[in-house]
Amino acid sequence: MSMRSASEDEPEAVSSKPSYQHATRDAITIEIVYSVVTGAVIAALLFFLVASPAFLWRLSGKWNEITMGAAMAVSAAGFLYRVASLLTRLKKTTKGSCSGKQ
């Protein structure tokens, strides 16, 4: 019977330190989640800001619909703008940082 150490059983590719690609992938995932979460917060704030007259003054039927529609449109636009701007910045950043490393 031969005694083998634990290091002989593990493949050489497995390392305790994360690789550059793994770290980059994690950073991208965090940035995507950050953009979606902050976009949702901005959308909620914009919705309540635009819809606040309907909540405060109990507007009539037609004005309530117009106000709520505007609130939904503005909040959706705010969400899309936030996510798109952060992901565009991320694309420029990762493109520049990955060009020197291969």
Side-chain angles (χ1 to χ4, degrees):
M1 279 177 127
S2 100
M3 299 282 292
R4 295 188 325 197
S5 68
S7 63
E8 292 175 355
D9 294 336
E10 295 176 9
E12 290 181 26
V14 175
S15 174
S16 61
K17 291 190 261 182
S19 68
Y20 176 77
Q21 290 176 343
H22 185 71
T24 303
R25 193 171 51 237
D26 287 347
I28 290 170
T29 302
I30 290 169
E31 193 72 24
I32 290 170
V33 170
Y34 173 75
S35 69
V36 170
V37 169
T38 58
V41 169
I42 288 172
L45 291 173
L46 287 172
F47 179 82
F48 286 114
L49 180 70
V50 175
S52 62
F55 297 142
L56 295 175
W57 296 309
R58 307 245 185 232
L59 299 176
S60 65
K62 189 66 173 174
W63 285 108
N64 190 33
E65 290 177 21
I66 292 171
T67 304
M68 289 298 172
M72 286 188 274
V74 169
S75 65
F79 174 80
L80 292 175
Y81 175 77
R82 178 66 175 173
V83 171
S85 65
L86 283 176
L87 294 181
T88 302
R89 185 187 67 178
L90 174 67
K91 183 178 179 181
K92 288 178 185 176
T93 303
T94 56
K95 191 180 236 184
S97 67
C98 290
S99 63
K101 194 92 159 158
Q102 289 185 358

